[in-house]
Each structure stands twice: as structure tokens, then as C-alpha cells.
Amino acid sequence: MRKLHLILFTGLILSAFSCRKEETTAIESIPLMEEPVRIDSLGVMPSGEMINQYTLTNRKGIQMQVINYGGTITSLKTPDKAGTMEEVVLGCDSLKDYLDGTPFFGALVGRYGNRIAKGKFTLDGKTYSLAQNNNGNHIHGGLKGFDKVYWHIQPLSSEGDPALRLTYLSKDMEEGYPGNLSVEVVYALTDNNELKIDYTATTDRKTIINLTNHSYFNLSGNAKRNVLDHEVIIYADKFVPVDEELIPDGSIAQVDGTPFDFRTPVTIGARIDNDHPQLVNGRGYDHCWILRSGSEALKLGVTVHDPVSGRYMQMYTTEPGVQLYTGNFLNGSEVGKGGVAYNKRDGFCLETEHFPDSPNQNSFPSVVLSPGETYHTQTVYAFSVK
């Protein structure tokens, strides 16, 4: 199990970040806001909690906004190669839009990110039933997962960087999951233009856990174009095949010779409409890649480059897998920032995770958390221009 603590990652983070500057161009500094974290009131949830919007700005002017509802990243602005600051995540203009429901735009996902077959899993001989909220299967924590709850947020300074600590207590049998689960998530916006996300949790009863963030990225800026021309590298030789309900079939497949081979730069759109059975099942890419280093060390997992804007993103994670989802179910019904309708493939997600349906797949890495253990994972999205 993942019993690592934040201190164990310090050396790994420094070494990993120090070697990734050769392909990128530094982003010039612009004046910092008066306060690295600004707090604005947005409104009230139906349950009565006050929702604030927290704006973080680093010394180079990159800005991120987060709200209590769902721990949601509502905005992330980075410059293009001309220095123009624009939005690189999909999101909504108002709290009401989030409360009315979105396809997990920017939200924290738990207790279990991705799918669990038939909404059932067994621990120590006891079967637990979860909501079947996705074609008869369980997805992203259920009817009221972590994306729909109130997170307590505390601004803090993480090694001098503007940061937020988000906490939530998921009570025993909430959405069918056993154990009182105490969760802490830290968002930090570093002066190296990195969004660092640390997830930590403990439980008083054996349970399962698979936390992630569900931001949809579009590096064109303000979603001016779809993401089909984004160039992607995934540092993975294998992926997890799924059936027509997007549940793993229990096998592990090699990417070699398939449209899932992103070991060298390939645009998202180059092969997405091929008649490969897995692309048909996923309606495009909606699959988990098994990253080359399955260890808990922080490692480079994915790079994405938009040649037009020049924006370049590197994703590092301690997780063994990453789900690339290419917005296959967006259909124009979601009206986002500035009144822009989000259509199919207007965004992509990189959901760092353990594999889907792991509780029912004995050959997959374990997602069980027991009392006395500490769950900890880290994901870093680093932004530059190229």
C-alpha cells in the first residue's frame, strides 16, 4: 500500500523538476497580485454552506481559481508563446452552473475515480454495493461523490508558493463505502509554473480509495479550437483494454502496432476515429495507460503540446496509471466560460490513478487502504511554452 509521506518526495521532486527545462522556454514574469491568495464569496449551497472562490497567483502571473464545491478547479490561466494569458481548462461562469451539474469539470473525484463493475466489490469476504450511476456500473464515487460535497479550504504557503489545503471527512458507508475516511488535498501553484496536487487519506476501517482530479484541458486558450491537433507523448508500453461498457476485460495489452502507441509524438486526432475495437468501445480515447515505472516515485507520464499556441504541459505522477479521456461525450449542451458551448473533443483529461475496476481485478495493483496506513499520491502539471 501507499504509505508514503510528503517528506519522502522532496528529493524526487527536486531531481525530476531540475531535468525538464531543456525542451521548454521560460515564461517571463509579470507583476504579482497584491495577495497570492484572494478570497471572494460566490454564494450558498442548497445545504447552507457558503461557497468561496480562492484565486492563487504565482510570481510569474499564472493564475488558478478553486471553489469549495467539489474542490473544483474552475480556472487555470497560462500564457501562450506570445505571452497572452488565457484559460486552459474547461469550466463554468457561475456557481449555479456547477450546482446544476457538469461532466466533472475540474472536480476532485472519489472515493473511487473511474469505474467499478456492477457497483460491487468484496473486502474480507463481505460484498459492498455502490450506486450504479453509469450504465449499470459505478463511476467516480457515486451519486454524490467528492465532486458534489463541500470541502473546507484553508489558504497556506507551501514552501513559499500560494497553496490551498482542502479537507473532507467521508463518513462510514457514505455512498456505500466502508470506513470513516479523512481526506486532505493540497493544491500548490509554484513559481516554476507547476500545479502540484497532493492527496492524503486515512481510514478507521478497511476500504478502497482511488483519488484523482478531473480537469479538462485545452491548450489552445479559451477553447478556441478542439484538442485534436494537440501532440501527445505517453510514457507507457501497455494499456488496459475495456469492454463496451468501458469496464476492463481483465487483460493488459501492448500499445505496439495500435492507435494507443503514443511513445513518440502523435496528435490526438491522428487515429482517434480508426475502427480499432478499443476506440469503438471508448468512442475515442477513454482508457488507462500503464506508466512505465509502476513504482511510487514521481515520474514523467505524459507531455502535451499545442503547436499553434506553443503551450506545453508535462504531467508527473506517483500513480501507476493515467486515464486519457478525449471529451467523447461532450455534445454542445454544456455552455462554459464566456458562453462557449463545449462540443465533442473540445477538452482532454489526464486522470492519474490506479486502474479502473481494480477491486474486482486481482491482477491489478491494490486499492485497499487499512487502518494505520496513510494513502498518499502526488500529481504535477508543469506549464511552459515550446
Side-chain angles (χ1 to χ4, degrees), residues 200-259:
T200 306
T202 57
T203 184
D204 63 359
R205 184 179 171 194
K206 186 177 287 189
T207 191
I208 61 172
I209 185 170
N210 193 29
L211 304 181
T212 193
N213 178 274
H214 207 288
S215 288
Y216 290 69
F217 295 98
N218 184 321
L219 302 185
S220 71
N222 298 335
K224 290 192 291 291
R225 304 178 302 279
N226 62 35
V227 298
L228 295 178
D229 62 350
H230 285 34
E231 298 171 345
V232 175
I233 298 176
I234 304 178
Y235 293 88
D237 303 309
K238 302 173 184 178
F239 74 102
V240 179
V242 295
D243 62 20
E244 293 179 353
E245 295 181 348
L246 300 178
I247 298 295
D249 62 16
S251 67
I252 299 295
Q254 298 286 332
V255 302
D256 190 42
T258 76

Short mmCIF file of all heavy atoms in Angstrom, two decimals, residues 200-259:
data_model
loop_
_atom_site.label_atom_id
_atom_site.label_comp_id
_atom_site.label_asym_id
_atom_site.label_seq_id
_atom_site.Cartn_x
_atom_site.Cartn_y
_atom_site.Cartn_z
N THR A 200 -3.89 12.93 0.37
CA THR A 200 -3.57 12.14 1.56
C THR A 200 -4.88 11.68 2.20
O THR A 200 -5.86 12.44 2.22
CB THR A 200 -2.76 12.96 2.57
OG1 THR A 200 -1.61 13.51 1.92
CG2 THR A 200 -2.31 12.11 3.74
N ALA A 201 -4.90 10.45 2.73
CA ALA A 201 -6.11 9.97 3.39
C ALA A 201 -5.77 8.88 4.40
O ALA A 201 -4.78 8.15 4.24
CB ALA A 201 -7.11 9.42 2.37
N THR A 202 -6.60 8.80 5.44
CA THR A 202 -6.53 7.71 6.42
C THR A 202 -7.95 7.22 6.69
O THR A 202 -8.93 7.94 6.46
CB THR A 202 -5.90 8.17 7.74
OG1 THR A 202 -6.65 9.27 8.27
CG2 THR A 202 -4.44 8.59 7.54
N THR A 203 -8.06 6.00 7.21
CA THR A 203 -9.37 5.40 7.46
C THR A 203 -9.36 4.67 8.81
O THR A 203 -8.30 4.26 9.29
CB THR A 203 -9.74 4.42 6.33
OG1 THR A 203 -11.06 3.92 6.55
CG2 THR A 203 -8.77 3.25 6.26
N ASP A 204 -10.55 4.50 9.38
CA ASP A 204 -10.66 3.72 10.62
C ASP A 204 -11.22 2.32 10.35
O ASP A 204 -11.48 1.56 11.29
CB ASP A 204 -11.53 4.46 11.64
CG ASP A 204 -12.97 4.65 11.19
OD1 ASP A 204 -13.32 4.23 10.06
OD2 ASP A 204 -13.76 5.25 11.95
N ARG A 205 -11.38 1.99 9.06
CA ARG A 205 -11.92 0.69 8.67
C ARG A 205 -11.44 0.39 7.26
O ARG A 205 -11.33 1.31 6.43
CB ARG A 205 -13.45 0.74 8.72
CG ARG A 205 -14.18 -0.55 8.43
CD ARG A 205 -15.68 -0.32 8.55
NE ARG A 205 -16.46 -1.45 8.09
CZ ARG A 205 -17.77 -1.41 7.84
NH1 ARG A 205 -18.44 -0.27 8.03
NH2 ARG A 205 -18.42 -2.47 7.42
N LYS A 206 -11.14 -0.86 6.99
CA LYS A 206 -10.61 -1.20 5.67
C LYS A 206 -11.57 -0.74 4.58
O LYS A 206 -12.78 -0.96 4.65
CB LYS A 206 -10.37 -2.72 5.57
CG LYS A 206 -9.67 -3.12 4.27
CD LYS A 206 -9.39 -4.61 4.22
CE LYS A 206 -8.25 -5.00 5.15
NZ LYS A 206 -7.85 -6.42 4.94
N THR A 207 -11.02 -0.10 3.55
CA THR A 207 -11.84 0.45 2.48
C THR A 207 -11.04 0.45 1.19
O THR A 207 -9.92 -0.08 1.13
CB THR A 207 -12.31 1.87 2.84
OG1 THR A 207 -13.31 2.30 1.91
CG2 THR A 207 -11.17 2.87 2.87
N ILE A 208 -11.62 1.03 0.15
CA ILE A 208 -10.90 1.20 -1.12
C ILE A 208 -10.85 2.69 -1.44
O ILE A 208 -11.71 3.46 -1.02
CB ILE A 208 -11.55 0.42 -2.28
CG1 ILE A 208 -12.98 0.92 -2.54
CG2 ILE A 208 -11.52 -1.07 -2.01
CD1 ILE A 208 -13.62 0.34 -3.80
N ILE A 209 -9.82 3.10 -2.17
CA ILE A 209 -9.63 4.51 -2.48
C ILE A 209 -8.86 4.66 -3.78
O ILE A 209 -7.95 3.88 -4.08
CB ILE A 209 -8.91 5.23 -1.31
CG1 ILE A 209 -8.83 6.73 -1.57
CG2 ILE A 209 -7.54 4.62 -1.04
CD1 ILE A 209 -8.35 7.53 -0.37
N ASN A 210 -9.25 5.68 -4.56
CA ASN A 210 -8.60 5.96 -5.83
C ASN A 210 -8.94 7.40 -6.20
O ASN A 210 -9.89 7.65 -6.94
CB ASN A 210 -9.09 4.99 -6.92
CG ASN A 210 -8.23 5.02 -8.17
OD1 ASN A 210 -7.04 5.30 -8.11
ND2 ASN A 210 -8.84 4.72 -9.30
N LEU A 211 -8.18 8.35 -5.65
CA LEU A 211 -8.50 9.77 -5.82
C LEU A 211 -7.83 10.34 -7.06
O LEU A 211 -6.73 9.93 -7.44
CB LEU A 211 -8.04 10.57 -4.59
CG LEU A 211 -8.57 10.12 -3.24
CD1 LEU A 211 -8.05 11.03 -2.14
CD2 LEU A 211 -10.09 10.08 -3.23
N THR A 212 -8.51 11.32 -7.68
CA THR A 212 -7.92 11.99 -8.83
C THR A 212 -8.61 13.34 -9.01
O THR A 212 -9.56 13.67 -8.30
CB THR A 212 -8.04 11.14 -10.11
OG1 THR A 212 -7.20 11.70 -11.14
CG2 THR A 212 -9.47 11.05 -10.61
N ASN A 213 -8.10 14.11 -9.97
CA ASN A 213 -8.73 15.36 -10.36
C ASN A 213 -9.18 15.23 -11.81
O ASN A 213 -8.50 14.61 -12.63
CB ASN A 213 -7.77 16.54 -10.22
CG ASN A 213 -8.38 17.85 -10.68
OD1 ASN A 213 -8.35 18.19 -11.86
ND2 ASN A 213 -8.97 18.58 -9.75
N HIS A 214 -10.35 15.81 -12.11
CA HIS A 214 -10.98 15.59 -13.42
C HIS A 214 -10.99 16.87 -14.26
O HIS A 214 -11.98 17.18 -14.93
CB HIS A 214 -12.40 15.07 -13.21
CG HIS A 214 -12.92 14.24 -14.35
ND1 HIS A 214 -13.26 14.77 -15.57
CD2 HIS A 214 -13.15 12.91 -14.45
CE1 HIS A 214 -13.69 13.80 -16.36
NE2 HIS A 214 -13.62 12.66 -15.72
N SER A 215 -9.90 17.62 -14.25
CA SER A 215 -9.83 18.81 -15.10
C SER A 215 -9.77 18.42 -16.57
O SER A 215 -9.10 17.45 -16.96
CB SER A 215 -8.59 19.64 -14.75
OG SER A 215 -8.75 20.28 -13.51
N TYR A 216 -10.51 19.18 -17.37
CA TYR A 216 -10.44 19.06 -18.83
C TYR A 216 -9.52 20.17 -19.33
O TYR A 216 -9.78 21.36 -19.10
CB TYR A 216 -11.81 19.28 -19.47
CG TYR A 216 -12.85 18.22 -19.27
CD1 TYR A 216 -13.41 17.98 -18.02
CD2 TYR A 216 -13.31 17.46 -20.35
CE1 TYR A 216 -14.40 17.02 -17.85
CE2 TYR A 216 -14.31 16.51 -20.19
CZ TYR A 216 -14.85 16.29 -18.94
OH TYR A 216 -15.84 15.34 -18.78
N PHE A 217 -8.47 19.81 -20.04
CA PHE A 217 -7.52 20.79 -20.55
C PHE A 217 -7.77 21.07 -22.03
O PHE A 217 -8.20 20.19 -22.79
CB PHE A 217 -6.09 20.27 -20.38
CG PHE A 217 -5.66 20.11 -18.95
CD1 PHE A 217 -5.71 18.86 -18.33
CD2 PHE A 217 -5.21 21.19 -18.21
CE1 PHE A 217 -5.33 18.70 -17.01
CE2 PHE A 217 -4.81 21.04 -16.90
CZ PHE A 217 -4.87 19.79 -16.29
N ASN A 218 -7.47 22.29 -22.42
CA ASN A 218 -7.43 22.68 -23.83
C ASN A 218 -6.38 23.77 -23.93
O ASN A 218 -6.59 24.89 -23.46
CB ASN A 218 -8.80 23.17 -24.31
CG ASN A 218 -8.81 23.50 -25.80
OD1 ASN A 218 -7.85 24.05 -26.33
ND2 ASN A 218 -9.92 23.16 -26.46
N LEU A 219 -5.23 23.43 -24.51
CA LEU A 219 -4.08 24.34 -24.51
C LEU A 219 -4.18 25.41 -25.59
O LEU A 219 -3.28 26.26 -25.69
CB LEU A 219 -2.78 23.54 -24.65
CG LEU A 219 -2.51 22.48 -23.58
CD1 LEU A 219 -1.13 21.86 -23.77
CD2 LEU A 219 -2.65 23.05 -22.17
N SER A 220 -5.23 25.40 -26.41
CA SER A 220 -5.38 26.44 -27.43
C SER A 220 -5.64 27.80 -26.79
O SER A 220 -5.34 28.84 -27.38
CB SER A 220 -6.53 26.09 -28.39
OG SER A 220 -7.79 26.21 -27.76
N GLY A 221 -6.20 27.79 -25.57
CA GLY A 221 -6.52 29.03 -24.87
C GLY A 221 -7.95 29.45 -25.14
O GLY A 221 -8.35 29.68 -26.28
N ASN A 222 -8.74 29.51 -24.05
CA ASN A 222 -10.15 29.87 -24.16
C ASN A 222 -10.92 28.94 -25.09
O ASN A 222 -11.92 29.34 -25.69
CB ASN A 222 -10.32 31.33 -24.61
CG ASN A 222 -9.72 32.32 -23.64
OD1 ASN A 222 -9.58 32.04 -22.44
ND2 ASN A 222 -9.34 33.49 -24.14
N ALA A 223 -10.44 27.72 -25.21
CA ALA A 223 -11.11 26.69 -26.03
C ALA A 223 -11.44 27.20 -27.43
O ALA A 223 -12.54 27.01 -27.95
CB ALA A 223 -12.37 26.17 -25.32
N LYS A 224 -10.44 27.83 -28.05
CA LYS A 224 -10.67 28.37 -29.40
C LYS A 224 -10.81 27.27 -30.44
O LYS A 224 -11.47 27.45 -31.46
CB LYS A 224 -9.51 29.29 -29.79
CG LYS A 224 -9.47 30.60 -29.01
CD LYS A 224 -8.50 31.59 -29.62
CE LYS A 224 -7.06 31.17 -29.47
NZ LYS A 224 -6.61 31.22 -28.05
N ARG A 225 -10.15 26.14 -30.18
CA ARG A 225 -10.21 25.00 -31.11
C ARG A 225 -10.40 23.74 -30.30
O ARG A 225 -10.23 23.73 -29.08
CB ARG A 225 -8.90 24.89 -31.91
CG ARG A 225 -8.51 26.14 -32.67
CD ARG A 225 -7.17 25.95 -33.40
NE ARG A 225 -6.08 25.62 -32.47
CZ ARG A 225 -5.42 26.51 -31.75
NH1 ARG A 225 -5.72 27.80 -31.83
NH2 ARG A 225 -4.44 26.13 -30.96
N ASN A 226 -10.75 22.64 -30.97
CA ASN A 226 -10.77 21.36 -30.26
C ASN A 226 -9.32 20.91 -30.02
O ASN A 226 -8.37 21.61 -30.40
CB ASN A 226 -11.59 20.31 -31.02
CG ASN A 226 -11.01 19.97 -32.40
OD1 ASN A 226 -9.80 19.96 -32.60
ND2 ASN A 226 -11.89 19.72 -33.36
N VAL A 227 -9.16 19.76 -29.41
CA VAL A 227 -7.82 19.32 -28.99
C VAL A 227 -7.20 18.29 -29.95
O VAL A 227 -6.18 17.70 -29.64
CB VAL A 227 -7.86 18.74 -27.56
CG1 VAL A 227 -8.29 19.81 -26.57
CG2 VAL A 227 -8.76 17.51 -27.47
N LEU A 228 -7.82 18.11 -31.10
CA LEU A 228 -7.35 17.04 -31.99
C LEU A 228 -5.95 17.29 -32.54
O LEU A 228 -5.26 16.33 -32.92
CB LEU A 228 -8.35 16.86 -33.14
CG LEU A 228 -9.73 16.36 -32.73
CD1 LEU A 228 -10.65 16.25 -33.95
CD2 LEU A 228 -9.64 15.01 -32.02
N ASP A 229 -5.51 18.56 -32.58
CA ASP A 229 -4.16 18.83 -33.09
C ASP A 229 -3.11 18.91 -31.99
O ASP A 229 -1.94 19.19 -32.25
CB ASP A 229 -4.15 20.12 -33.91
CG ASP A 229 -4.53 21.36 -33.09
OD1 ASP A 229 -4.99 21.19 -31.94
OD2 ASP A 229 -4.37 22.49 -33.60
N HIS A 230 -3.51 18.65 -30.74
CA HIS A 230 -2.54 18.60 -29.64
C HIS A 230 -1.64 17.38 -29.80
O HIS A 230 -2.14 16.26 -30.02
CB HIS A 230 -3.25 18.52 -28.30
CG HIS A 230 -3.88 19.80 -27.84
ND1 HIS A 230 -4.44 20.73 -28.69
CD2 HIS A 230 -4.05 20.33 -26.59
CE1 HIS A 230 -4.91 21.76 -27.99
NE2 HIS A 230 -4.69 21.53 -26.71
N GLU A 231 -0.34 17.58 -29.68
CA GLU A 231 0.63 16.49 -29.81
C GLU A 231 0.91 15.88 -28.44
O GLU A 231 1.24 16.59 -27.49
CB GLU A 231 1.94 17.02 -30.42
CG GLU A 231 1.76 17.57 -31.82
CD GLU A 231 2.99 18.29 -32.33
OE1 GLU A 231 3.88 18.61 -31.51
OE2 GLU A 231 3.06 18.54 -33.54
N VAL A 232 0.80 14.56 -28.36
CA VAL A 232 0.87 13.88 -27.07
C VAL A 232 1.98 12.82 -27.08
O VAL A 232 2.17 12.11 -28.07
CB VAL A 232 -0.48 13.20 -26.74
CG1 VAL A 232 -0.39 12.38 -25.45
CG2 VAL A 232 -1.58 14.25 -26.62
N ILE A 233 2.68 12.73 -25.96
CA ILE A 233 3.55 11.58 -25.67
C ILE A 233 3.06 10.97 -24.36
O ILE A 233 2.83 11.69 -23.39
CB ILE A 233 5.03 11.98 -25.51
CG1 ILE A 233 5.58 12.58 -26.81
CG2 ILE A 233 5.87 10.76 -25.10
CD1 ILE A 233 7.01 13.09 -26.68
N ILE A 234 2.87 9.64 -24.35
CA ILE A 234 2.54 8.91 -23.12
C ILE A 234 3.64 7.89 -22.89
O ILE A 234 3.90 7.05 -23.74
CB ILE A 234 1.17 8.21 -23.20
CG1 ILE A 234 0.07 9.22 -23.53
CG2 ILE A 234 0.86 7.50 -21.88
CD1 ILE A 234 -1.32 8.59 -23.68
N TYR A 235 4.29 7.98 -21.75
CA TYR A 235 5.42 7.10 -21.44
C TYR A 235 4.90 5.78 -20.90
O TYR A 235 5.00 5.47 -19.71
CB TYR A 235 6.36 7.80 -20.47
CG TYR A 235 7.03 9.01 -21.10
CD1 TYR A 235 6.42 10.26 -21.07
CD2 TYR A 235 8.24 8.89 -21.78
CE1 TYR A 235 7.01 11.37 -21.67
CE2 TYR A 235 8.84 9.98 -22.38
CZ TYR A 235 8.22 11.22 -22.32
OH TYR A 235 8.80 12.31 -22.94
N ALA A 236 4.32 5.01 -21.81
CA ALA A 236 3.70 3.74 -21.44
C ALA A 236 3.81 2.76 -22.60
O ALA A 236 3.62 3.15 -23.76
CB ALA A 236 2.24 3.94 -21.06
N ASP A 237 4.10 1.51 -22.27
CA ASP A 237 4.16 0.44 -23.27
C ASP A 237 2.90 -0.41 -23.28
O ASP A 237 2.71 -1.22 -24.17
CB ASP A 237 5.36 -0.47 -22.99
CG ASP A 237 6.67 0.31 -22.96
OD1 ASP A 237 6.92 1.07 -23.92
OD2 ASP A 237 7.42 0.17 -21.98
N LYS A 238 2.02 -0.20 -22.27
CA LYS A 238 0.84 -1.05 -22.14
C LYS A 238 -0.37 -0.18 -21.76
O LYS A 238 -0.22 0.92 -21.23
CB LYS A 238 1.06 -2.11 -21.05
CG LYS A 238 2.26 -3.02 -21.29
CD LYS A 238 2.50 -3.93 -20.09
CE LYS A 238 3.75 -4.77 -20.29
NZ LYS A 238 4.02 -5.64 -19.09
N PHE A 239 -1.56 -0.73 -22.04
CA PHE A 239 -2.78 -0.07 -21.61
C PHE A 239 -3.79 -1.13 -21.19
O PHE A 239 -3.57 -2.33 -21.37
CB PHE A 239 -3.35 0.84 -22.71
CG PHE A 239 -3.99 0.11 -23.87
CD1 PHE A 239 -5.38 0.02 -23.96
CD2 PHE A 239 -3.23 -0.48 -24.88
CE1 PHE A 239 -6.00 -0.63 -25.02
CE2 PHE A 239 -3.83 -1.13 -25.95
CZ PHE A 239 -5.22 -1.22 -26.02
N VAL A 240 -4.92 -0.66 -20.63
CA VAL A 240 -5.94 -1.55 -20.08
C VAL A 240 -7.13 -1.60 -21.05
O VAL A 240 -7.88 -0.62 -21.15
CB VAL A 240 -6.41 -1.07 -18.70
CG1 VAL A 240 -7.49 -1.99 -18.15
CG2 VAL A 240 -5.23 -0.98 -17.73
N PRO A 241 -7.32 -2.70 -21.78
CA PRO A 241 -8.48 -2.81 -22.68
C PRO A 241 -9.79 -2.88 -21.90
O PRO A 241 -9.83 -3.36 -20.76
CB PRO A 241 -8.23 -4.13 -23.42
CG PRO A 241 -6.78 -4.42 -23.24
CD PRO A 241 -6.44 -3.86 -21.89
N VAL A 242 -10.86 -2.38 -22.53
CA VAL A 242 -12.17 -2.34 -21.88
C VAL A 242 -13.23 -2.93 -22.80
O VAL A 242 -13.03 -3.03 -24.02
CB VAL A 242 -12.56 -0.90 -21.50
CG1 VAL A 242 -11.61 -0.34 -20.44
CG2 VAL A 242 -12.58 0.01 -22.74
N ASP A 243 -14.36 -3.31 -22.19
CA ASP A 243 -15.47 -3.81 -22.98
C ASP A 243 -16.37 -2.66 -23.42
O ASP A 243 -16.02 -1.49 -23.25
CB ASP A 243 -16.26 -4.88 -22.21
CG ASP A 243 -16.89 -4.34 -20.92
OD1 ASP A 243 -17.06 -3.10 -20.79
OD2 ASP A 243 -17.23 -5.16 -20.04
N GLU A 244 -17.54 -2.96 -23.97
CA GLU A 244 -18.42 -1.92 -24.49
C GLU A 244 -18.96 -1.01 -23.40
O GLU A 244 -19.42 0.10 -23.68
CB GLU A 244 -19.57 -2.55 -25.27
CG GLU A 244 -19.11 -3.26 -26.55
CD GLU A 244 -20.27 -3.90 -27.29
OE1 GLU A 244 -21.39 -3.91 -26.74
OE2 GLU A 244 -20.05 -4.37 -28.43
N GLU A 245 -18.92 -1.46 -22.13
CA GLU A 245 -19.35 -0.62 -21.02
C GLU A 245 -18.18 0.09 -20.36
O GLU A 245 -18.32 0.69 -19.30
CB GLU A 245 -20.10 -1.48 -19.98
CG GLU A 245 -21.41 -2.06 -20.51
CD GLU A 245 -22.14 -2.88 -19.47
OE1 GLU A 245 -21.53 -3.20 -18.41
OE2 GLU A 245 -23.31 -3.21 -19.71
N LEU A 246 -17.00 0.03 -21.00
CA LEU A 246 -15.78 0.67 -20.54
C LEU A 246 -15.26 0.09 -19.22
O LEU A 246 -14.59 0.76 -18.45
CB LEU A 246 -15.97 2.19 -20.42
CG LEU A 246 -16.36 2.89 -21.73
CD1 LEU A 246 -16.59 4.37 -21.51
CD2 LEU A 246 -15.31 2.67 -22.80
N ILE A 247 -15.57 -1.20 -19.01
CA ILE A 247 -15.06 -1.95 -17.87
C ILE A 247 -13.89 -2.81 -18.35
O ILE A 247 -13.99 -3.47 -19.39
CB ILE A 247 -16.16 -2.85 -17.27
CG1 ILE A 247 -17.32 -2.00 -16.73
CG2 ILE A 247 -15.59 -3.73 -16.17
CD1 ILE A 247 -16.97 -1.12 -15.56
N PRO A 248 -12.76 -2.82 -17.63
CA PRO A 248 -11.64 -3.66 -18.04
C PRO A 248 -12.05 -5.12 -18.24
O PRO A 248 -12.85 -5.66 -17.47
CB PRO A 248 -10.65 -3.53 -16.87
CG PRO A 248 -10.95 -2.18 -16.30
CD PRO A 248 -12.43 -2.02 -16.42
N ASP A 249 -11.51 -5.72 -19.30
CA ASP A 249 -11.82 -7.13 -19.57
C ASP A 249 -10.87 -8.08 -18.86
O ASP A 249 -10.95 -9.29 -19.04
CB ASP A 249 -11.84 -7.41 -21.08
CG ASP A 249 -10.49 -7.16 -21.76
OD1 ASP A 249 -9.45 -7.06 -21.07
OD2 ASP A 249 -10.47 -7.08 -23.00
N GLY A 250 -9.96 -7.52 -18.06
CA GLY A 250 -9.04 -8.34 -17.28
C GLY A 250 -7.68 -8.53 -17.92
O GLY A 250 -6.77 -9.06 -17.28
N SER A 251 -7.53 -8.09 -19.15
CA SER A 251 -6.26 -8.27 -19.85
C SER A 251 -5.44 -6.99 -19.80
O SER A 251 -5.93 -5.91 -19.45
CB SER A 251 -6.51 -8.66 -21.31
OG SER A 251 -7.11 -7.58 -22.03
N ILE A 252 -4.17 -7.12 -20.16
CA ILE A 252 -3.26 -6.00 -20.35
C ILE A 252 -2.73 -6.11 -21.78
O ILE A 252 -2.29 -7.17 -22.20
CB ILE A 252 -2.10 -6.03 -19.35
CG1 ILE A 252 -2.62 -5.93 -17.91
CG2 ILE A 252 -1.10 -4.91 -19.65
CD1 ILE A 252 -3.30 -4.64 -17.58
N ALA A 253 -2.77 -5.00 -22.53
CA ALA A 253 -2.38 -5.05 -23.94
C ALA A 253 -1.16 -4.17 -24.20
O ALA A 253 -0.97 -3.13 -23.55
CB ALA A 253 -3.55 -4.59 -24.82
N GLN A 254 -0.35 -4.60 -25.15
CA GLN A 254 0.78 -3.80 -25.60
C GLN A 254 0.29 -2.71 -26.55
O GLN A 254 -0.63 -2.93 -27.35
CB GLN A 254 1.80 -4.68 -26.33
CG GLN A 254 2.41 -5.78 -25.47
CD GLN A 254 3.42 -5.24 -24.48
OE1 GLN A 254 4.05 -4.20 -24.72
NE2 GLN A 254 3.61 -5.95 -23.37
N VAL A 255 0.88 -1.53 -26.46
CA VAL A 255 0.48 -0.44 -27.35
C VAL A 255 1.09 -0.60 -28.74
O VAL A 255 0.59 -0.02 -29.70
CB VAL A 255 0.88 0.93 -26.77
CG1 VAL A 255 0.24 1.14 -25.40
CG2 VAL A 255 2.41 1.08 -26.68
N ASP A 256 2.14 -1.38 -28.85
CA ASP A 256 2.87 -1.52 -30.10
C ASP A 256 1.94 -1.94 -31.23
O ASP A 256 1.18 -2.90 -31.13
CB ASP A 256 3.99 -2.55 -29.94
CG ASP A 256 4.93 -2.57 -31.13
OD1 ASP A 256 5.26 -1.47 -31.61
OD2 ASP A 256 5.30 -3.66 -31.58
N GLY A 257 1.98 -1.18 -32.34
CA GLY A 257 1.17 -1.52 -33.50
C GLY A 257 -0.29 -1.16 -33.39
O GLY A 257 -1.11 -1.59 -34.22
N THR A 258 -0.67 -0.35 -32.38
CA THR A 258 -2.06 0.02 -32.18
C THR A 258 -2.18 1.55 -32.15
O THR A 258 -1.18 2.26 -32.01
CB THR A 258 -2.60 -0.53 -30.85
OG1 THR A 258 -2.10 0.27 -29.76
CG2 THR A 258 -2.21 -1.99 -30.65
N PRO A 259 -3.42 2.08 -32.25
CA PRO A 259 -3.61 3.53 -32.12
C PRO A 259 -3.34 4.05 -30.72
O PRO A 259 -3.45 5.25 -30.49
CB PRO A 259 -5.10 3.71 -32.48
CG PRO A 259 -5.49 2.49 -33.23
CD PRO A 259 -4.66 1.39 -32.66
#
